[in-house]
């Protein structure tokens, strides 16, 4: 085994400290140190620890150590890895020894700047001459600390160097490569008995200088890795975070770009609500929305499926759509959708953006597979991640640190900085989480051109109303005109006034959207407007009054020609009827074999009736090339389009939230109270050895009263096992003053104040000899 260098004399002596010494260090430390520990590792404070021994035990539990390591930066993790390699969980290590192990990659002061925060978190303890860690730190770091493999055994440091010098160039190349970031190598030459002496890997295996893990995997022993690294045992160490490449765009440009994205998002959500209000998709048996439904929505939005899936997730997270309570449930807009549609653009955006920020789901996982190889679809339960809001904020807060008007040149620059700040956060999806967050934030108008928008900065404070106000200043004023082109396209040079936008959406189809939206007028769009009750005169007037360019003659011809043919057939209810001033047209309809199933019957030269509902009759005729219009009882045009469906819904986030916010953690006052409780427990543990007349288990009422009254008469303090009003067990040292009415009144020596202790909450009691 690699020999330990005896540069640290104390390391070879029996250490006065052990892992249990953490208890004594916590007990002997001041309250500020305990508060700092509970503040940096809030999981240790809940439930309140009864004494320092309990706190020390919690602090060294593997799950808690893992959580504490998630927030450590790359350099701090390097320090922990070095301490593990130096066996600080078995013996003490000096700061001088640790500095030498970094081989000049880090100075003593740089290491101390990381040791102190690690001490604060109780991941490292002891003086600079005697640093220690818990065994669970080794388990948390993993099998390959600092990228080094397992120990081979029987190979001293000197012999490892000699072996390295004996290798040929090919063998040395393999060792050098595996001595880098990872000691694991994949090869087809690792099968037992199949080693070949004509390959470098085969020769290393034959000589026992590579460890075989399976038929395709080899591992470089730690001793050879350290020898290959020479005077830099820790390899390349990044002591400072990478400096990202930024570009200056100006805050106004970033805000303008973000506002355009916000308006486009509003439009897409509006189209979703319109589409699913008419034809809601079914809920899959496994939950979520079918791939075909998302693909169809993407076609209607004129976008890709990734964008369509994000729009669906946002709508569901905001409470605009939900599952209907039917036996065969569907995804239906909720009543909240009508409130959202009636809101201003900036408030629409703020509701969507605020919901996304707290959404406990990862839309970026859509299309991937889970651990059981099941496809993760839109709105499926497999996308739920309680840590998603926290991960989003980490990305946005990094952008918030940059000067206003500046943006990251590349997404991988953001990922690199966050990877250095917290390499263990996010697991295998760490860098992908950054990519997904930035992509979604751009689609929401929170991020633009690599920088945070002003509205995005306001949103991070948690005030959606303030964010909406900032976004309102970035959204351009609505325009009251359009530009009609000769090719029957209509250009909207900005956001249209709501009334104009509604009329134009009725008479034309969106061809391309953006800062300037392009509409196209076609026969079908004109017919749609006519079906809704608009006349040809109203349509001509719309374009003539609202266009800043001359209306082309082709558009006038299109409107008049469509209107001329529109409504020749008049449908009503008989169940339904069909009338036309030209009897020849009705004779043609009656003679068509494809329309025989309509059950049409002539009751007058210009009138036919049918047993089918009016809506079905009109749809069938239109499907066979006719252009009938529905007619009400007074002869006016009847709009047959169905009103949008609505359900109550469960509100934002689908009734689920992410991880508890910081406000759910113990506040400063509660932490101070926990420290007092802990000190009381320590004091009780120190004095219980001198107790007289101790009781075992829960005391009886009579025994408790007699013991407490006697302690009050003799002015003896008592040790109490006590359950507070929140149900937390605690220990107190109390000097009884009076006992009566079911309450012990006494002076709490830990808190330095007089207090009342209900007798029914006392679980154990013992008198402390004064």
């Amino acid at each position: 085994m690699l020999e330990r260098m005896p540069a640290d004399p104390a390391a070879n002596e029996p250490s006065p400290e052990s892992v249990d010494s953490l208890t004594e260090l916590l007990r002997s430390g001041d309250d500020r140190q305990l508060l700092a520990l509970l503040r940096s590792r809030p999981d240790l404070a809940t439930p309140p620890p009864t004494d320092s021994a309990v706190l020390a035990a919690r602090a060294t539990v593997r799950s808690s150590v893992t959580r504490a390591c998630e927030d450590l930066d790359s350099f701090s993790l390097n320090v922990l890895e070095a301490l593990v390699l130096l066996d600080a969980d078995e013996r003490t290590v000096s700061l001088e020894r640790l500095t030498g192990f970094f081989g000049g990659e880090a100075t003593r002061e740089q290491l101390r700047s990381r040791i102190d925060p690690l001490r604060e978190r109780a991941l490292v303890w002891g003086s600079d001459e005697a640093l220690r860690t818990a065994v669970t730190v080794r388990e948390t770091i993993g099998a390959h600390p600092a990228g080094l493999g397992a120990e081979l055994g029987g190979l001293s440091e000197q012999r490892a160097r000699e072996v390295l010098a004996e290798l040929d160039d090919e063998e040395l190349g393999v060792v050098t490569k595996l001595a880098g970031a990872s000691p694991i190598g994949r090869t087809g030459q690792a099968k037992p008995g199949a080693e070949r002496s004509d390959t470098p890997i085969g020769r290393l295996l034959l000589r026992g200088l590579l460890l075989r893990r399976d038929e395709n995997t080899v591992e470089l022993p730690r001793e050879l890795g350290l020898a290959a690294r020479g005077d830099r045992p820790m390899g390349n160490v990044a002591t400072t975070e990478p400096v990202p490449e930024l570009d200056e765009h100006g805050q106004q440009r970033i805000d303008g770009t973000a506002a355009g994205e916000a308006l486009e998002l509003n439009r897409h959500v509006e189209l979703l609500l319109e589409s699913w209000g008419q034809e809601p998709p079914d809920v899959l048996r496994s939950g979520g929305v079918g791939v075909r439904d998302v693909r169809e929505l993407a076609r209607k939005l004129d976008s890709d499926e990734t964008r369509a899936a994000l729009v669906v997730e946002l709508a569901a997270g905001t409470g605009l759509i939900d599952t209907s309570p039917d036996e065969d449930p569907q995804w239906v807009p909720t009543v909240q959708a009508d409130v959202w549609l009636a809101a201003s653009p900036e408030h629409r955006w703020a509701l969507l953006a605020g919901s996304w920020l707290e959404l406990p789901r990862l839309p970026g996982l859509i299309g991937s597979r889970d651990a059981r190889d099941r496809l993760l679809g839109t709105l499926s339960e497999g996308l739920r991640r309680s840590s998603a809001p926290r991960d989003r904020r980490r990305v946005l807060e990094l952008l918030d640190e940059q000067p206003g008007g500046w943006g990251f040149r590349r997404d991988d620059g953001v990922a690199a900085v966050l990877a250095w700040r917290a390499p263990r956060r996010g697991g295998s999806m760490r860098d992908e989480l950054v990519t997904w967050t930035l992509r979604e934030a751009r689609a929401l108008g929170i991020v633009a051109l690599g920088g945070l928008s002003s509205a995005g900065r306001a949103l991070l404070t948690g005030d959606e109303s303030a964010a909406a106000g900032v976004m309102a200043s970035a959204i351009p004023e609505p325009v009251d005109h359009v530009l009609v082109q000769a090719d029957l396209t209509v250009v909207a040079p900005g956001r249209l006034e709501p009334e104009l936008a509604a009329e134009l959406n009725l008479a034309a189809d969106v061809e391309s959207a953006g800062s300037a939206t392009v509409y196209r007028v076609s026969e079908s769009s004109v017919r749609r407007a006519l079906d809704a009750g608009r006349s040809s005169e109203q349509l001509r007037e719309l374009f003539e009054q609202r266009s800043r360019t001359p209306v082309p003659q082709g558009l006038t011809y299109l409107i008049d020609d469509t209107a001329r043919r529109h409504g020749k057939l008049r449908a009503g209810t008989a169940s339904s009827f069909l009338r036309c001033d030209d009897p020849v047209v009705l004779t043609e309809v009656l003679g068509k074999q494809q329309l025989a199933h309509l059950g049409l019957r002539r009751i007058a030269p210009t009138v036919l009736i049918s047993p089918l509902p009016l809506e079905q009759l009109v749809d069938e005729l239109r499907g066979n090339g006719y252009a009938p219009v529905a007619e009400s009882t007074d002869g006016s045009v009847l709009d047959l389009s169905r009103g949008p469906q609505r359900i109550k819904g469960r509100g934002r986030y689908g009734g689920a939230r992410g991880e508890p916010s910081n406000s759910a953690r113990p506040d400063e006052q509660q932490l101070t109270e926990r420290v007092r409780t802990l000190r009381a427990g320590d004091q009780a543990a120190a004095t219980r050895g001198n107790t007289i007349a101790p009781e075992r288990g829960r005391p009886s009422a009579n025994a408790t009263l007699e013991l407490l009254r006697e302690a009050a008469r003799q002015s003896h303090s008592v040790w109490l096992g006590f359950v507070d009003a929140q149900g937390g067990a605690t220990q107190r040292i109390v000097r009884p003053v009076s006992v009566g009415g079911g309450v012990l009144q006494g002076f709490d020596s830990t808190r330095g104040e007089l207090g009342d202790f209900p007798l029914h909450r006392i679980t154990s009691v013992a008198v402390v000899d004064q």
Side-chain angles (χ1 to χ4, degrees), residues 255 344 346-347 349-351 353-354 453-475:
D255 291 347
S344 61
E346 60 271 15
H347 284 95
W349 168 83
L351 187 62
S453 66
S454 298
R457 292 182 194 275
L459 188 69
L460 280 179
T461 65
D463 191 341
E464 292 182 13
S465 297
V470 176
M471 178 59 76
S473 64
I475 295 177

PDB file of all heavy atoms in Angstrom, residues 255 344 346-347 349-351 353-354 453-475:
ATOM      1  N   ASP A 255     -34.798  44.589 -22.954  1.00  0.00           N
ATOM      2  CA  ASP A 255     -36.200  44.686 -22.546  1.00  0.00           C
ATOM      3  C   ASP A 255     -37.137  44.655 -23.745  1.00  0.00           C
ATOM      4  O   ASP A 255     -38.211  44.049 -23.692  1.00  0.00           O
ATOM      5  CB  ASP A 255     -36.422  45.966 -21.745  1.00  0.00           C
ATOM      6  CG  ASP A 255     -35.749  45.927 -20.384  1.00  0.00           C
ATOM      7  OD1 ASP A 255     -35.334  44.830 -19.967  1.00  0.00           O
ATOM      8  OD2 ASP A 255     -35.614  46.994 -19.747  1.00  0.00           O
ATOM      9  N   SER A 344     -54.814  42.584 -19.078  1.00  0.00           N
ATOM     10  CA  SER A 344     -53.915  43.293 -19.991  1.00  0.00           C
ATOM     11  C   SER A 344     -52.731  42.397 -20.337  1.00  0.00           C
ATOM     12  O   SER A 344     -52.446  41.432 -19.627  1.00  0.00           O
ATOM     13  CB  SER A 344     -53.407  44.576 -19.327  1.00  0.00           C
ATOM     14  OG  SER A 344     -52.681  44.258 -18.142  1.00  0.00           O
ATOM     15  N   GLU A 346     -49.530  42.734 -20.057  1.00  0.00           N
ATOM     16  CA  GLU A 346     -48.474  42.619 -19.050  1.00  0.00           C
ATOM     17  C   GLU A 346     -48.908  41.765 -17.860  1.00  0.00           C
ATOM     18  O   GLU A 346     -48.101  41.018 -17.290  1.00  0.00           O
ATOM     19  CB  GLU A 346     -48.033  44.003 -18.560  1.00  0.00           C
ATOM     20  CG  GLU A 346     -49.111  44.853 -17.924  1.00  0.00           C
ATOM     21  CD  GLU A 346     -49.872  45.715 -18.931  1.00  0.00           C
ATOM     22  OE1 GLU A 346     -49.756  45.446 -20.147  1.00  0.00           O
ATOM     23  OE2 GLU A 346     -50.581  46.644 -18.484  1.00  0.00           O
ATOM     24  N   HIS A 347     -50.188  41.829 -17.491  1.00  0.00           N
ATOM     25  CA  HIS A 347     -50.649  40.997 -16.385  1.00  0.00           C
ATOM     26  C   HIS A 347     -50.820  39.544 -16.824  1.00  0.00           C
ATOM     27  O   HIS A 347     -50.634  38.629 -16.015  1.00  0.00           O
ATOM     28  CB  HIS A 347     -51.961  41.544 -15.816  1.00  0.00           C
ATOM     29  CG  HIS A 347     -51.782  42.756 -14.961  1.00  0.00           C
ATOM     30  ND1 HIS A 347     -51.906  44.036 -15.459  1.00  0.00           N
ATOM     31  CD2 HIS A 347     -51.437  42.893 -13.655  1.00  0.00           C
ATOM     32  CE1 HIS A 347     -51.665  44.906 -14.487  1.00  0.00           C
ATOM     33  NE2 HIS A 347     -51.373  44.240 -13.383  1.00  0.00           N
ATOM     34  N   TRP A 349     -48.785  38.154 -18.916  1.00  0.00           N
ATOM     35  CA  TRP A 349     -47.401  37.674 -18.870  1.00  0.00           C
ATOM     36  C   TRP A 349     -46.957  37.408 -17.434  1.00  0.00           C
ATOM     37  O   TRP A 349     -46.318  36.383 -17.149  1.00  0.00           O
ATOM     38  CB  TRP A 349     -46.474  38.707 -19.501  1.00  0.00           C
ATOM     39  CG  TRP A 349     -45.035  38.403 -19.228  1.00  0.00           C
ATOM     40  CD1 TRP A 349     -44.230  37.540 -19.905  1.00  0.00           C
ATOM     41  CD2 TRP A 349     -44.241  38.931 -18.149  1.00  0.00           C
ATOM     42  NE1 TRP A 349     -42.982  37.493 -19.323  1.00  0.00           N
ATOM     43  CE2 TRP A 349     -42.963  38.334 -18.251  1.00  0.00           C
ATOM     44  CE3 TRP A 349     -44.483  39.840 -17.123  1.00  0.00           C
ATOM     45  CZ2 TRP A 349     -41.929  38.634 -17.361  1.00  0.00           C
ATOM     46  CZ3 TRP A 349     -43.467  40.132 -16.228  1.00  0.00           C
ATOM     47  CH2 TRP A 349     -42.197  39.538 -16.348  1.00  0.00           C
ATOM     48  N   ALA A 350     -47.258  38.316 -16.521  1.00  0.00           N
ATOM     49  CA  ALA A 350     -46.797  38.182 -15.139  1.00  0.00           C
ATOM     50  C   ALA A 350     -47.345  36.916 -14.496  1.00  0.00           C
ATOM     51  O   ALA A 350     -46.638  36.235 -13.739  1.00  0.00           O
ATOM     52  CB  ALA A 350     -47.202  39.405 -14.327  1.00  0.00           C
ATOM     53  N   LEU A 351     -48.586  36.577 -14.797  1.00  0.00           N
ATOM     54  CA  LEU A 351     -49.177  35.368 -14.231  1.00  0.00           C
ATOM     55  C   LEU A 351     -48.470  34.126 -14.769  1.00  0.00           C
ATOM     56  O   LEU A 351     -48.161  33.195 -14.025  1.00  0.00           O
ATOM     57  CB  LEU A 351     -50.670  35.312 -14.551  1.00  0.00           C
ATOM     58  CG  LEU A 351     -51.461  34.183 -13.885  1.00  0.00           C
ATOM     59  CD1 LEU A 351     -51.414  34.307 -12.372  1.00  0.00           C
ATOM     60  CD2 LEU A 351     -52.907  34.176 -14.365  1.00  0.00           C
ATOM     61  N   ALA A 353     -45.346  33.984 -16.118  1.00  0.00           N
ATOM     62  CA  ALA A 353     -43.945  33.968 -15.699  1.00  0.00           C
ATOM     63  C   ALA A 353     -43.819  33.615 -14.220  1.00  0.00           C
ATOM     64  O   ALA A 353     -42.933  32.836 -13.832  1.00  0.00           O
ATOM     65  CB  ALA A 353     -43.304  35.326 -15.975  1.00  0.00           C
ATOM     66  N   GLY A 354     -44.694  34.165 -13.383  1.00  0.00           N
ATOM     67  CA  GLY A 354     -44.636  33.848 -11.961  1.00  0.00           C
ATOM     68  C   GLY A 354     -44.943  32.391 -11.691  1.00  0.00           C
ATOM     69  O   GLY A 354     -44.323  31.765 -10.818  1.00  0.00           O
ATOM     70  N   SER A 453     -33.981  40.509 -18.236  1.00  0.00           N
ATOM     71  CA  SER A 453     -34.770  41.699 -18.531  1.00  0.00           C
ATOM     72  C   SER A 453     -35.123  42.418 -17.239  1.00  0.00           C
ATOM     73  O   SER A 453     -35.075  41.848 -16.143  1.00  0.00           O
ATOM     74  CB  SER A 453     -36.048  41.313 -19.280  1.00  0.00           C
ATOM     75  OG  SER A 453     -36.905  40.544 -18.447  1.00  0.00           O
ATOM     76  N   SER A 454     -35.489  43.676 -17.364  1.00  0.00           N
ATOM     77  CA  SER A 454     -35.879  44.442 -16.177  1.00  0.00           C
ATOM     78  C   SER A 454     -37.094  43.824 -15.506  1.00  0.00           C
ATOM     79  O   SER A 454     -37.177  43.763 -14.267  1.00  0.00           O
ATOM     80  CB  SER A 454     -36.181  45.892 -16.568  1.00  0.00           C
ATOM     81  OG  SER A 454     -35.041  46.518 -17.112  1.00  0.00           O
ATOM     82  N   ALA A 455     -38.036  43.338 -16.300  1.00  0.00           N
ATOM     83  CA  ALA A 455     -39.213  42.675 -15.732  1.00  0.00           C
ATOM     84  C   ALA A 455     -38.817  41.373 -15.049  1.00  0.00           C
ATOM     85  O   ALA A 455     -39.393  40.997 -14.026  1.00  0.00           O
ATOM     86  CB  ALA A 455     -40.245  42.407 -16.830  1.00  0.00           C
ATOM     87  N   GLY A 456     -37.820  40.676 -15.609  1.00  0.00           N
ATOM     88  CA  GLY A 456     -37.331  39.456 -14.984  1.00  0.00           C
ATOM     89  C   GLY A 456     -36.698  39.723 -13.638  1.00  0.00           C
ATOM     90  O   GLY A 456     -36.880  38.955 -12.680  1.00  0.00           O
ATOM     91  N   ARG A 457     -35.942  40.828 -13.529  1.00  0.00           N
ATOM     92  CA  ARG A 457     -35.346  41.186 -12.242  1.00  0.00           C
ATOM     93  C   ARG A 457     -36.435  41.470 -11.210  1.00  0.00           C
ATOM     94  O   ARG A 457     -36.334  41.072 -10.050  1.00  0.00           O
ATOM     95  CB  ARG A 457     -34.454  42.415 -12.397  1.00  0.00           C
ATOM     96  CG  ARG A 457     -33.204  42.188 -13.216  1.00  0.00           C
ATOM     97  CD  ARG A 457     -32.353  43.446 -13.272  1.00  0.00           C
ATOM     98  NE  ARG A 457     -31.332  43.345 -14.303  1.00  0.00           N
ATOM     99  CZ  ARG A 457     -30.144  42.772 -14.127  1.00  0.00           C
ATOM    100  NH1 ARG A 457     -29.853  42.263 -12.950  1.00  0.00           N
ATOM    101  NH2 ARG A 457     -29.265  42.705 -15.113  1.00  0.00           N
ATOM    102  N   ALA A 458     -37.479  42.171 -11.634  1.00  0.00           N
ATOM    103  CA  ALA A 458     -38.576  42.469 -10.713  1.00  0.00           C
ATOM    104  C   ALA A 458     -39.298  41.183 -10.298  1.00  0.00           C
ATOM    105  O   ALA A 458     -39.729  41.049  -9.152  1.00  0.00           O
ATOM    106  CB  ALA A 458     -39.552  43.446 -11.357  1.00  0.00           C
ATOM    107  N   LEU A 459     -39.411  40.243 -11.224  1.00  0.00           N
ATOM    108  CA  LEU A 459     -40.096  38.980 -10.932  1.00  0.00           C
ATOM    109  C   LEU A 459     -39.355  38.181  -9.873  1.00  0.00           C
ATOM    110  O   LEU A 459     -39.974  37.494  -9.055  1.00  0.00           O
ATOM    111  CB  LEU A 459     -40.235  38.161 -12.214  1.00  0.00           C
ATOM    112  CG  LEU A 459     -41.088  36.892 -12.130  1.00  0.00           C
ATOM    113  CD1 LEU A 459     -42.556  37.259 -11.931  1.00  0.00           C
ATOM    114  CD2 LEU A 459     -40.931  36.057 -13.393  1.00  0.00           C
ATOM    115  N   LEU A 460     -38.027  38.264  -9.870  1.00  0.00           N
ATOM    116  CA  LEU A 460     -37.232  37.511  -8.902  1.00  0.00           C
ATOM    117  C   LEU A 460     -37.504  37.953  -7.465  1.00  0.00           C
ATOM    118  O   LEU A 460     -37.253  37.190  -6.526  1.00  0.00           O
ATOM    119  CB  LEU A 460     -35.739  37.655  -9.203  1.00  0.00           C
ATOM    120  CG  LEU A 460     -35.185  36.774 -10.320  1.00  0.00           C
ATOM    121  CD1 LEU A 460     -33.708  37.039 -10.530  1.00  0.00           C
ATOM    122  CD2 LEU A 460     -35.414  35.301 -10.008  1.00  0.00           C
ATOM    123  N   THR A 461     -37.995  39.165  -7.285  1.00  0.00           N
ATOM    124  CA  THR A 461     -38.304  39.643  -5.931  1.00  0.00           C
ATOM    125  C   THR A 461     -39.595  39.036  -5.406  1.00  0.00           C
ATOM    126  O   THR A 461     -39.908  39.198  -4.225  1.00  0.00           O
ATOM    127  CB  THR A 461     -38.425  41.173  -5.915  1.00  0.00           C
ATOM    128  OG1 THR A 461     -39.559  41.577  -6.706  1.00  0.00           O
ATOM    129  CG2 THR A 461     -37.157  41.820  -6.474  1.00  0.00           C
ATOM    130  N   GLY A 462     -40.354  38.363  -6.278  1.00  0.00           N
ATOM    131  CA  GLY A 462     -41.602  37.740  -5.861  1.00  0.00           C
ATOM    132  C   GLY A 462     -42.825  38.620  -6.025  1.00  0.00           C
ATOM    133  O   GLY A 462     -43.926  38.203  -5.666  1.00  0.00           O
ATOM    134  N   ASP A 463     -42.673  39.810  -6.567  1.00  0.00           N
ATOM    135  CA  ASP A 463     -43.799  40.735  -6.728  1.00  0.00           C
ATOM    136  C   ASP A 463     -44.246  40.714  -8.189  1.00  0.00           C
ATOM    137  O   ASP A 463     -43.670  41.402  -9.037  1.00  0.00           O
ATOM    138  CB  ASP A 463     -43.389  42.142  -6.311  1.00  0.00           C
ATOM    139  CG  ASP A 463     -44.581  43.095  -6.205  1.00  0.00           C
ATOM    140  OD1 ASP A 463     -45.634  42.793  -6.785  1.00  0.00           O
ATOM    141  OD2 ASP A 463     -44.441  44.146  -5.548  1.00  0.00           O
ATOM    142  N   GLU A 464     -45.272  39.931  -8.499  1.00  0.00           N
ATOM    143  CA  GLU A 464     -45.750  39.822  -9.874  1.00  0.00           C
ATOM    144  C   GLU A 464     -46.363  41.128 -10.360  1.00  0.00           C
ATOM    145  O   GLU A 464     -46.253  41.467 -11.546  1.00  0.00           O
ATOM    146  CB  GLU A 464     -46.766  38.679  -9.994  1.00  0.00           C
ATOM    147  CG  GLU A 464     -46.169  37.292  -9.807  1.00  0.00           C
ATOM    148  CD  GLU A 464     -47.191  36.182  -9.970  1.00  0.00           C
ATOM    149  OE1 GLU A 464     -48.306  36.481 -10.471  1.00  0.00           O
ATOM    150  OE2 GLU A 464     -46.896  35.036  -9.603  1.00  0.00           O
ATOM    151  N   SER A 465     -47.013  41.859  -9.481  1.00  0.00           N
ATOM    152  CA  SER A 465     -47.621  43.137  -9.884  1.00  0.00           C
ATOM    153  C   SER A 465     -46.546  44.133 -10.316  1.00  0.00           C
ATOM    154  O   SER A 465     -46.696  44.831 -11.322  1.00  0.00           O
ATOM    155  CB  SER A 465     -48.451  43.711  -8.739  1.00  0.00           C
ATOM    156  OG  SER A 465     -49.524  42.853  -8.414  1.00  0.00           O
ATOM    157  N   ALA A 466     -45.450  44.197  -9.538  1.00  0.00           N
ATOM    158  CA  ALA A 466     -44.356  45.097  -9.904  1.00  0.00           C
ATOM    159  C   ALA A 466     -43.717  44.663 -11.216  1.00  0.00           C
ATOM    160  O   ALA A 466     -43.378  45.499 -12.061  1.00  0.00           O
ATOM    161  CB  ALA A 466     -43.307  45.131  -8.792  1.00  0.00           C
ATOM    162  N   ALA A 467     -43.581  43.352 -11.406  1.00  0.00           N
ATOM    163  CA  ALA A 467     -43.005  42.850 -12.653  1.00  0.00           C
ATOM    164  C   ALA A 467     -43.894  43.199 -13.842  1.00  0.00           C
ATOM    165  O   ALA A 467     -43.405  43.554 -14.920  1.00  0.00           O
ATOM    166  CB  ALA A 467     -42.801  41.333 -12.566  1.00  0.00           C
ATOM    167  N   ALA A 468     -45.212  43.112 -13.632  1.00  0.00           N
ATOM    168  CA  ALA A 468     -46.136  43.472 -14.706  1.00  0.00           C
ATOM    169  C   ALA A 468     -45.999  44.950 -15.056  1.00  0.00           C
ATOM    170  O   ALA A 468     -46.046  45.326 -16.239  1.00  0.00           O
ATOM    171  CB  ALA A 468     -47.572  43.158 -14.289  1.00  0.00           C
ATOM    172  N   GLY A 469     -45.816  45.798 -14.051  1.00  0.00           N
ATOM    173  CA  GLY A 469     -45.644  47.222 -14.316  1.00  0.00           C
ATOM    174  C   GLY A 469     -44.391  47.511 -15.110  1.00  0.00           C
ATOM    175  O   GLY A 469     -44.388  48.357 -16.014  1.00  0.00           O
ATOM    176  N   VAL A 470     -43.302  46.797 -14.800  1.00  0.00           N
ATOM    177  CA  VAL A 470     -42.056  46.989 -15.552  1.00  0.00           C
ATOM    178  C   VAL A 470     -42.223  46.499 -16.983  1.00  0.00           C
ATOM    179  O   VAL A 470     -41.766  47.143 -17.934  1.00  0.00           O
ATOM    180  CB  VAL A 470     -40.898  46.257 -14.846  1.00  0.00           C
ATOM    181  CG1 VAL A 470     -39.616  46.373 -15.666  1.00  0.00           C
ATOM    182  CG2 VAL A 470     -40.679  46.827 -13.451  1.00  0.00           C
ATOM    183  N   MET A 471     -42.892  45.353 -17.152  1.00  0.00           N
ATOM    184  CA  MET A 471     -43.102  44.834 -18.500  1.00  0.00           C
ATOM    185  C   MET A 471     -43.993  45.772 -19.311  1.00  0.00           C
ATOM    186  O   MET A 471     -43.795  45.941 -20.525  1.00  0.00           O
ATOM    187  CB  MET A 471     -43.727  43.438 -18.421  1.00  0.00           C
ATOM    188  CG  MET A 471     -44.036  42.808 -19.779  1.00  0.00           C
ATOM    189  SD  MET A 471     -42.574  42.631 -20.855  1.00  0.00           S
ATOM    190  CE  MET A 471     -41.784  41.212 -20.094  1.00  0.00           C
ATOM    191  N   ALA A 472     -44.961  46.407 -18.665  1.00  0.00           N
ATOM    192  CA  ALA A 472     -45.856  47.325 -19.372  1.00  0.00           C
ATOM    193  C   ALA A 472     -45.084  48.475 -20.005  1.00  0.00           C
ATOM    194  O   ALA A 472     -45.422  48.937 -21.107  1.00  0.00           O
ATOM    195  CB  ALA A 472     -46.921  47.866 -18.424  1.00  0.00           C
ATOM    196  N   SER A 473     -44.024  48.926 -19.322  1.00  0.00           N
ATOM    197  CA  SER A 473     -43.232  50.021 -19.874  1.00  0.00           C
ATOM    198  C   SER A 473     -42.390  49.585 -21.062  1.00  0.00           C
ATOM    199  O   SER A 473     -41.961  50.427 -21.854  1.00  0.00           O
ATOM    200  CB  SER A 473     -42.329  50.599 -18.776  1.00  0.00           C
ATOM    201  OG  SER A 473     -41.389  49.628 -18.333  1.00  0.00           O
ATOM    202  N   ALA A 474     -42.137  48.276 -21.184  1.00  0.00           N
ATOM    203  CA  ALA A 474     -41.329  47.764 -22.297  1.00  0.00           C
ATOM    204  C   ALA A 474     -42.187  47.380 -23.499  1.00  0.00           C
ATOM    205  O   ALA A 474     -41.704  47.378 -24.631  1.00  0.00           O
ATOM    206  CB  ALA A 474     -40.505  46.555 -21.845  1.00  0.00           C
ATOM    207  N   ILE A 475     -43.458  47.051 -23.246  1.00  0.00           N
ATOM    208  CA  ILE A 475     -44.350  46.673 -24.348  1.00  0.00           C
ATOM    209  C   ILE A 475     -44.741  47.926 -25.123  1.00  0.00           C
ATOM    210  O   ILE A 475     -45.190  48.906 -24.534  1.00  0.00           O
ATOM    211  CB  ILE A 475     -45.606  45.957 -23.808  1.00  0.00           C
ATOM    212  CG1 ILE A 475     -45.224  44.628 -23.160  1.00  0.00           C
ATOM    213  CG2 ILE A 475     -46.617  45.730 -24.924  1.00  0.00           C
ATOM    214  CD1 ILE A 475     -46.392  43.898 -22.541  1.00  0.00           C
TER     215      ILE A 475
END
